[in-house]
């Protein structure tokens, strides 16, 4: 019986020795996965901020276009009055 216990203990020890590197690799992989998830969230936040900036700049461009159109109309009105 003692031989069976020794063999069982040896196999258990061998199994643990084989599983330790696998467990370490799995833990490393999980950490890398968590790091990638954090990077994705950061990139999403940066993308959202960039989209908001684009929207703000588009609104400014639209405002400048409207101002330009208004000024051109003012110039046209003044020119019409001068000609008359």
């Amino acid at each position: 019986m003692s031989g069976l216990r020794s063999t069982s203990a040896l196999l258990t020890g061998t199994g643990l020795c084989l599983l330790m590197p696998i467990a370490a690799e799995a833990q490393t992989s999980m950490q890398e996965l968590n790091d990638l998830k954090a990077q994705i969230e950061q990139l999403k936040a940066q993308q959202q901020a960039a989209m908001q900036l684009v929207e703000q700049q588009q609104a400014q461009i639209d405002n400048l276009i409207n101002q330009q159109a208004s000024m051109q109309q003012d110039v046209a009105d003044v020119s019409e009055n001068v000609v008359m």
Side-chain angles (χ1 to χ4, degrees):
M1 193 69 145
S2 120
L4 183 60
R5 285 188 183 149
S6 296
T7 302
S8 177
L10 178 63
L11 290 175
T12 301
T14 302
L16 288 176
C17 287
L18 292 173
L19 288 177
M20 292 300 283
I22 295 170
E25 182 66 29
Q27 185 175 4
T28 300
S29 295
M30 287 301 295
Q31 182 60 45
E32 289 172 352
L33 180 61
N34 289 336
D35 291 347
L36 288 173
K37 285 180 180 179
Q39 288 177 356
I40 288 170
E41 290 304 315
Q42 184 179 22
L43 289 172
K44 284 180 181 178
Q46 290 174 351
Q47 180 185 28
Q48 183 64 31
M51 292 298 290
Q52 288 175 348
L53 183 59
V54 167
E55 289 173 5
Q56 290 172 355
Q57 290 176 341
Q58 185 61 51
Q60 289 176 343
I61 289 169
D62 292 344
N63 187 30
L64 289 171
I65 288 171
N66 290 335
Q67 287 178 0
Q68 181 183 19
S70 176
M71 291 172 138
Q72 286 175 337
Q73 185 60 49
D74 290 346
V75 168
D77 291 345
V78 168
S79 296
E80 186 178 299
N81 290 335
V82 169
V83 171
M84 294 179 129

